[in-house]
Amino acid sequence: MDRLAHLKSLIGKEFTDSPSPFMRWLKPIVVSAEKGHLEFQYTIRPEWLNPIGNLHGGVTAAIIDDVLGATMFSLNEPTFYTTINNVIDYFSIGKEGENIIAETHITKLGKQFINATCEIWNSDKTRLIAKGTSNLFKTQITR
């Protein structure tokens, strides 16, 4: 099945059939899906908090890495991509129960490497929580 069409069919629903067990644990809701551009919504859960009650930076980084991986699926490529680096800037906090939006964009689509960005926003996109940039490498592993 066309992976982008499948992502589009899930708009407004939880992405329960992701091939990533970690993504299934995160329980994202698909907000929008286009080739090279996704928006997923997450609800910050208690187990995602740091000791002072804010969204943990490691969870933020994991969301960025995972949703960028899903963005590679939107390209309908026959092979997997792997992350070779992640650079993340943190700008604001997230609190338990808050909905956040992860929005991705492809910056550069090469034959072997892809540079992509993910921004994590509050629910109405008035406050940027974090921004991550990644380089991903095309593997020889087929789906």
Side-chain angles (χ1 to χ4, degrees):
M1 174 187 217
D2 179 297
R3 287 176 291 282
L4 178 56
H6 181 65
L7 284 165
K8 286 183 176 192
S9 76
L10 296 173
I11 291 174
K13 301 174 186 168
E14 185 179 321
F15 192 12
T16 58
D17 62 346
S18 169
S20 165
F22 184 72
M23 181 172 277
R24 292 192 304 269
W25 178 77
L26 290 171
K27 300 180 183 239
I29 305 290
V30 181
V31 175
S32 69
E34 298 297 330
K35 184 176 183 180
H37 174 82
L38 298 179
E39 286 186 54
F40 284 4
Q41 177 183 296
Y42 302 83
T43 301
I44 299 173
R45 303 195 312 252
E47 62 269 28
W48 296 6
L49 303 178
N50 63 22
I52 59 172
N54 297 324
L55 176 62
H56 193 288
V59 175
T60 305
I63 288 171
I64 289 169
D65 186 52
D66 214 47
V67 74
L68 283 172
T71 303
M72 299 305 106
F73 276 85
S74 78
L75 301 175
N76 282 319
E77 294 279 335
T79 58
F80 283 94
Y81 284 80
T82 188
T83 304
I84 57 172
N85 72 346
N86 250 340
V87 177
I88 300 167
D89 295 308
Y90 299 91
F91 300 106
S92 186
I93 62 169
K95 292 289 189 182
E96 181 180 345
E98 183 178 3
N99 288 327
I100 56 175
I101 302 290
E103 182 175 7
T104 66
H105 300 277
I106 301 289
T107 307
K108 172 76 168 102
L109 179 61
K111 291 181 181 179
Q112 292 291 80
F113 293 93
I114 294 178
N115 180 273
T117 300
C118 177
E119 295 175 337
I120 306 286
W121 293 90
N122 66 332
S123 62
D124 63 2
K125 293 188 178 180
T126 58
R127 182 171 41 89
L128 182 62
I129 295 170
K131 180 178 181 179
T133 303
S134 294
N135 288 299
L136 299 105
F137 178 72
K138 185 177 188 174
T139 71
Q140 298 302 311
I141 302 167
T142 57
R143 300 182 199 277

